[in-house]
Amino acid sequence: MARLDLADRASVAAFVATWDGPLHILVNNAGVMAAPERRTAEGWESQFAVNHLGHFALTTGLHGALAKAGGTRVVVVSSVGHVNGEVLFDDVNFEHHPYDPWAAYSQSKTANVLFAVEAARRWAADGIAVNALNPGRIAATNLARHIGEPANAPASFEPGRSSGVSVKNIAQGAATSVLLAASPLVEGVTGRYFEDCQEAGPHRPGVRRGVADHALDSSKAARLWRLSLDLSTAAERRS
């Protein structure tokens, strides 16, 4: 067991530096949701920093170990919340837009899917499969600690207003991650988005299911990868 704080670049770098040997399965499962406005030491908005940039640094830093294993699987836990918003490429840290915790969350979850799309493309020759998923709404975790009463969430997130949303217990919520991490049923599948243990169809307005077109856009996926590298490089120069 090793310490890892995804909001701390130094912690991620230290974790990567101490990893030894091949890595067969990596599940990017950590996250925060609808958090109040906070900044990391680099000035990054906390949800984008933890949910995307921290996992980006971790996964790219472990690329050598993943490639060494062969037939590796990377599982990226996103959310149906990605359908609510795209990545604000010109303002990912909400420096010019009014901060909204749900908009920031949606941006970070879209970033998760875009990361899977681009990593799958870049790492196919290394035998690394990368897929994203929606685990469903799982009440029995601490993820929703910032929401308080359900009435504090926007209408699209309320159980009574969310058509088709997948409400699950912890075991059910973990099932799609386990499928993507270990099942022979998805051997060779990469760059996709899953929910309820199957590949998701297109998102339809008014339904809390499916994958939005903006999250599978290959040009946006490549742009996000470049942006993530640029942010990391700029932070290193300031250190």
Side-chain angles (χ1 to χ4, degrees):
M1 183 177 294
R3 180 182 181 277
L4 175 61
D5 181 351
L6 290 168
D8 183 346
R9 288 191 313 113
S11 175
V12 176
F15 183 93
V16 168
T18 57
W19 186 270
D20 184 31
L23 176 58
H24 296 271
I25 298 171
L26 176 63
V27 180
N28 291 341
N29 187 54
V32 291
M33 181 175 74
E37 186 171 13
R38 294 172 182 163
R39 304 279 165 172
T40 67
E42 295 76 24
W44 298 337
E45 187 278 316
S46 65
Q47 295 189 80
F48 191 72
V50 172
N51 295 351
H52 169 63
L53 291 174
H55 285 118
F56 178 86
L58 175 67
T59 312
T60 56
L62 292 172
H63 172 261
L66 294 165
K68 185 183 298 184
T72 304
R73 299 188 187 186
V74 176
V75 180
V76 184
V77 180
S78 180
S79 165
V80 71
H82 83 273
V83 305
N84 282 21
E86 301 196 37
V87 173
L88 301 175
F89 283 103
D90 296 324
D91 192 23
V92 293
N93 292 313
F94 287 83
E95 296 171 326
H96 306 293
H97 290 72
Y99 181 76
D100 178 88
W102 289 104
Y105 178 70
S106 298
Q107 169 179 250
S108 71
K109 294 290 103 179
T110 290
N112 289 155
V113 188
L114 291 173
F115 169 76
V117 170
E118 181 65 5
R121 184 189 71 80
R122 287 173 175 259
W123 297 346
D126 298 318
I128 303 172
V130 190
N131 292 289
L133 68 104
N134 165 32
R137 179 180 293 149
I138 307 164
T141 73
N142 201 31
L143 181 64
R145 62 190 179 277
H146 296 297
I147 299 176
E149 294 299 321
N152 294 334
S156 60
F157 283 81
E158 293 175 14
R161 299 282 298 277
S162 302
S163 175
V165 70
S166 299
V167 179
K168 300 179 179 181
N169 60 33
I170 291 175
Q172 292 167 338
T176 306
S177 291
V178 173
L179 172 84
L180 292 174
S183 175
L185 295 174
V186 292
E187 185 71 34
V189 176
T190 189
R192 311 288 180 83
Y193 175 91
F194 282 70
E195 61 188 1
D196 299 335
C197 292
Q198 60 187 335
E199 187 173 354
H203 171 251
R204 293 184 291 111
V207 179
R208 304 295 296 167
R209 303 180 65 79
V211 59
D213 290 341
H214 64 249
L216 297 178
D217 188 307
S218 59
S219 63
K220 292 177 181 177
R223 184 180 181 185
L224 178 64
W225 193 284
R226 293 192 300 269
L227 174 64
S228 303
L229 289 175
D230 289 345
L231 288 171
S232 297
T233 300
E236 289 172 4
R237 289 173 178 167
R238 291 194 299 267
S239 299

mmCIF file of all heavy atoms in Angstrom, residues 217-237:
data_model
loop_
_atom_site.group_PDB
_atom_site.id
_atom_site.type_symbol
_atom_site.label_atom_id
_atom_site.label_comp_id
_atom_site.label_asym_id
_atom_site.label_seq_id
_atom_site.Cartn_x
_atom_site.Cartn_y
_atom_site.Cartn_z
ATOM 1 N N ASP A 217 -15.655 12.524 -29.125
ATOM 2 C CA ASP A 217 -15.080 13.279 -30.238
ATOM 3 C C ASP A 217 -13.558 13.147 -30.230
ATOM 4 O O ASP A 217 -12.887 13.613 -29.304
ATOM 5 C CB ASP A 217 -15.483 14.747 -30.101
ATOM 6 C CG ASP A 217 -15.103 15.589 -31.295
ATOM 7 O OD1 ASP A 217 -13.919 15.572 -31.688
ATOM 8 O OD2 ASP A 217 -15.974 16.282 -31.837
ATOM 9 N N SER A 218 -13.004 12.516 -31.259
ATOM 10 C CA SER A 218 -11.566 12.238 -31.282
ATOM 11 C C SER A 218 -10.720 13.503 -31.340
ATOM 12 O O SER A 218 -9.620 13.551 -30.760
ATOM 13 C CB SER A 218 -11.224 11.321 -32.459
ATOM 14 O OG SER A 218 -11.601 11.916 -33.692
ATOM 15 N N SER A 219 -11.211 14.541 -32.004
ATOM 16 C CA SER A 219 -10.445 15.789 -32.070
ATOM 17 C C SER A 219 -10.395 16.464 -30.699
ATOM 18 O O SER A 219 -9.358 17.019 -30.302
ATOM 19 C CB SER A 219 -11.038 16.735 -33.119
ATOM 20 O OG SER A 219 -12.360 17.114 -32.773
ATOM 21 N N LYS A 220 -11.499 16.416 -29.956
ATOM 22 C CA LYS A 220 -11.509 16.983 -28.610
ATOM 23 C C LYS A 220 -10.667 16.138 -27.659
ATOM 24 O O LYS A 220 -10.022 16.678 -26.742
ATOM 25 C CB LYS A 220 -12.947 17.088 -28.103
ATOM 26 C CG LYS A 220 -13.777 18.117 -28.860
ATOM 27 C CD LYS A 220 -15.222 18.149 -28.396
ATOM 28 C CE LYS A 220 -16.006 19.182 -29.209
ATOM 29 N NZ LYS A 220 -17.446 19.199 -28.841
ATOM 30 N N ALA A 221 -10.651 14.830 -27.882
ATOM 31 C CA ALA A 221 -9.823 13.956 -27.054
ATOM 32 C C ALA A 221 -8.345 14.289 -27.235
ATOM 33 O O ALA A 221 -7.581 14.367 -26.260
ATOM 34 C CB ALA A 221 -10.093 12.499 -27.404
ATOM 35 N N ALA A 222 -7.927 14.491 -28.479
ATOM 36 C CA ALA A 222 -6.531 14.852 -28.746
ATOM 37 C C ALA A 222 -6.209 16.227 -28.176
ATOM 38 O O ALA A 222 -5.114 16.454 -27.630
ATOM 39 C CB ALA A 222 -6.274 14.823 -30.254
ATOM 40 N N ARG A 223 -7.148 17.153 -28.273
ATOM 41 C CA ARG A 223 -6.938 18.501 -27.746
ATOM 42 C C ARG A 223 -6.786 18.468 -26.227
ATOM 43 O O ARG A 223 -5.939 19.157 -25.652
ATOM 44 C CB ARG A 223 -8.094 19.405 -28.152
ATOM 45 C CG ARG A 223 -7.921 20.851 -27.722
ATOM 46 C CD ARG A 223 -9.115 21.702 -28.153
ATOM 47 N NE ARG A 223 -8.938 23.097 -27.754
ATOM 48 C CZ ARG A 223 -9.853 24.045 -27.919
ATOM 49 N NH1 ARG A 223 -11.014 23.737 -28.494
ATOM 50 N NH2 ARG A 223 -9.618 25.285 -27.517
ATOM 51 N N LEU A 224 -7.607 17.660 -25.567
ATOM 52 C CA LEU A 224 -7.518 17.550 -24.115
ATOM 53 C C LEU A 224 -6.179 16.964 -23.688
ATOM 54 O O LEU A 224 -5.578 17.403 -22.701
ATOM 55 C CB LEU A 224 -8.659 16.678 -23.580
ATOM 56 C CG LEU A 224 -8.638 16.441 -22.070
ATOM 57 C CD1 LEU A 224 -8.837 17.750 -21.302
ATOM 58 C CD2 LEU A 224 -9.692 15.416 -21.663
ATOM 59 N N TRP A 225 -5.688 15.989 -24.424
ATOM 60 C CA TRP A 225 -4.392 15.379 -24.104
ATOM 61 C C TRP A 225 -3.291 16.437 -24.167
ATOM 62 O O TRP A 225 -2.466 16.543 -23.261
ATOM 63 C CB TRP A 225 -4.108 14.240 -25.072
ATOM 64 C CG TRP A 225 -2.970 13.350 -24.677
ATOM 65 C CD1 TRP A 225 -1.634 13.606 -24.777
ATOM 66 C CD2 TRP A 225 -3.085 12.038 -24.116
ATOM 67 N NE1 TRP A 225 -0.907 12.545 -24.335
ATOM 68 C CE2 TRP A 225 -1.762 11.569 -23.924
ATOM 69 C CE3 TRP A 225 -4.150 11.208 -23.789
ATOM 70 C CZ2 TRP A 225 -1.492 10.299 -23.394
ATOM 71 C CZ3 TRP A 225 -3.882 9.958 -23.269
ATOM 72 C CH2 TRP A 225 -2.568 9.509 -23.079
ATOM 73 N N ARG A 226 -3.315 17.242 -25.220
ATOM 74 C CA ARG A 226 -2.301 18.295 -25.363
ATOM 75 C C ARG A 226 -2.422 19.316 -24.246
ATOM 76 O O ARG A 226 -1.413 19.767 -23.684
ATOM 77 C CB ARG A 226 -2.444 18.969 -26.733
ATOM 78 C CG ARG A 226 -2.120 18.075 -27.915
ATOM 79 C CD ARG A 226 -1.996 18.877 -29.203
ATOM 80 N NE ARG A 226 -3.234 19.582 -29.540
ATOM 81 C CZ ARG A 226 -4.190 19.071 -30.305
ATOM 82 N NH1 ARG A 226 -4.079 17.839 -30.796
ATOM 83 N NH2 ARG A 226 -5.279 19.791 -30.588
ATOM 84 N N LEU A 227 -3.650 19.706 -23.924
ATOM 85 C CA LEU A 227 -3.871 20.669 -22.863
ATOM 86 C C LEU A 227 -3.363 20.130 -21.527
ATOM 87 O O LEU A 227 -2.733 20.868 -20.745
ATOM 88 C CB LEU A 227 -5.356 21.003 -22.761
ATOM 89 C CG LEU A 227 -5.772 21.895 -21.588
ATOM 90 C CD1 LEU A 227 -5.138 23.278 -21.704
ATOM 91 C CD2 LEU A 227 -7.291 22.006 -21.510
ATOM 92 N N SER A 228 -3.631 18.873 -21.251
ATOM 93 C CA SER A 228 -3.205 18.264 -19.989
ATOM 94 C C SER A 228 -1.687 18.252 -19.877
ATOM 95 O O SER A 228 -1.124 18.534 -18.806
ATOM 96 C CB SER A 228 -3.761 16.843 -19.883
ATOM 97 O OG SER A 228 -5.178 16.842 -19.988
ATOM 98 N N LEU A 229 -1.020 17.938 -20.975
ATOM 99 C CA LEU A 229 0.445 17.975 -20.981
ATOM 100 C C LEU A 229 0.952 19.400 -20.769
ATOM 101 O O LEU A 229 1.914 19.628 -20.020
ATOM 102 C CB LEU A 229 0.979 17.412 -22.292
ATOM 103 C CG LEU A 229 0.840 15.911 -22.521
ATOM 104 C CD1 LEU A 229 1.323 15.551 -23.921
ATOM 105 C CD2 LEU A 229 1.627 15.126 -21.471
ATOM 106 N N ASP A 230 0.313 20.365 -21.439
ATOM 107 C CA ASP A 230 0.734 21.764 -21.317
ATOM 108 C C ASP A 230 0.575 22.266 -19.884
ATOM 109 O O ASP A 230 1.444 22.980 -19.364
ATOM 110 C CB ASP A 230 -0.073 22.647 -22.265
ATOM 111 C CG ASP A 230 0.296 22.435 -23.730
ATOM 112 O OD1 ASP A 230 1.349 21.820 -23.996
ATOM 113 O OD2 ASP A 230 -0.488 22.877 -24.599
ATOM 114 N N LEU A 231 -0.523 21.918 -19.240
ATOM 115 C CA LEU A 231 -0.749 22.346 -17.861
ATOM 116 C C LEU A 231 0.308 21.758 -16.932
ATOM 117 O O LEU A 231 0.828 22.455 -16.048
ATOM 118 C CB LEU A 231 -2.146 21.931 -17.397
ATOM 119 C CG LEU A 231 -3.321 22.698 -18.008
ATOM 120 C CD1 LEU A 231 -4.640 22.037 -17.620
ATOM 121 C CD2 LEU A 231 -3.313 24.147 -17.550
ATOM 122 N N SER A 232 0.634 20.492 -17.137
ATOM 123 C CA SER A 232 1.645 19.843 -16.308
ATOM 124 C C SER A 232 3.020 20.460 -16.526
ATOM 125 O O SER A 232 3.768 20.707 -15.571
ATOM 126 C CB SER A 232 1.688 18.341 -16.609
ATOM 127 O OG SER A 232 0.461 17.732 -16.270
ATOM 128 N N THR A 233 3.348 20.726 -17.785
ATOM 129 C CA THR A 233 4.646 21.324 -18.097
ATOM 130 C C THR A 233 4.770 22.714 -17.492
ATOM 131 O O THR A 233 5.801 23.077 -16.912
ATOM 132 C CB THR A 233 4.842 21.409 -19.615
ATOM 133 O OG1 THR A 233 4.790 20.080 -20.166
ATOM 134 C CG2 THR A 233 6.180 22.038 -19.968
ATOM 135 N N ALA A 234 3.706 23.503 -17.601
ATOM 136 C CA ALA A 234 3.721 24.856 -17.047
ATOM 137 C C ALA A 234 3.882 24.815 -15.525
ATOM 138 O O ALA A 234 4.601 25.627 -14.945
ATOM 139 C CB ALA A 234 2.444 25.589 -17.422
ATOM 140 N N ALA A 235 3.226 23.862 -14.882
ATOM 141 C CA ALA A 235 3.325 23.731 -13.423
ATOM 142 C C ALA A 235 4.743 23.348 -13.001
ATOM 143 O O ALA A 235 5.265 23.837 -12.003
ATOM 144 C CB ALA A 235 2.323 22.706 -12.922
ATOM 145 N N GLU A 236 5.376 22.470 -13.786
ATOM 146 C CA GLU A 236 6.746 22.067 -13.472
ATOM 147 C C GLU A 236 7.719 23.228 -13.592
ATOM 148 O O GLU A 236 8.650 23.386 -12.786
ATOM 149 C CB GLU A 236 7.172 20.927 -14.413
ATOM 150 C CG GLU A 236 6.476 19.612 -14.132
ATOM 151 C CD GLU A 236 6.772 18.555 -15.183
ATOM 152 O OE1 GLU A 236 7.588 18.858 -16.093
ATOM 153 O OE2 GLU A 236 6.203 17.461 -15.104
ATOM 154 N N ARG A 237 7.512 24.060 -14.578
ATOM 155 C CA ARG A 237 8.391 25.215 -14.772
ATOM 156 C C ARG A 237 8.283 26.216 -13.627
ATOM 157 O O ARG A 237 9.258 26.891 -13.290
ATOM 158 C CB ARG A 237 8.075 25.899 -16.091
ATOM 159 C CG ARG A 237 8.497 25.094 -17.322
ATOM 160 C CD ARG A 237 8.010 25.744 -18.602
ATOM 161 N NE ARG A 237 8.466 25.000 -19.758
ATOM 162 C CZ ARG A 237 8.001 25.185 -20.994
ATOM 163 N NH1 ARG A 237 7.077 26.116 -21.215
ATOM 164 N NH2 ARG A 237 8.459 24.460 -22.009
#
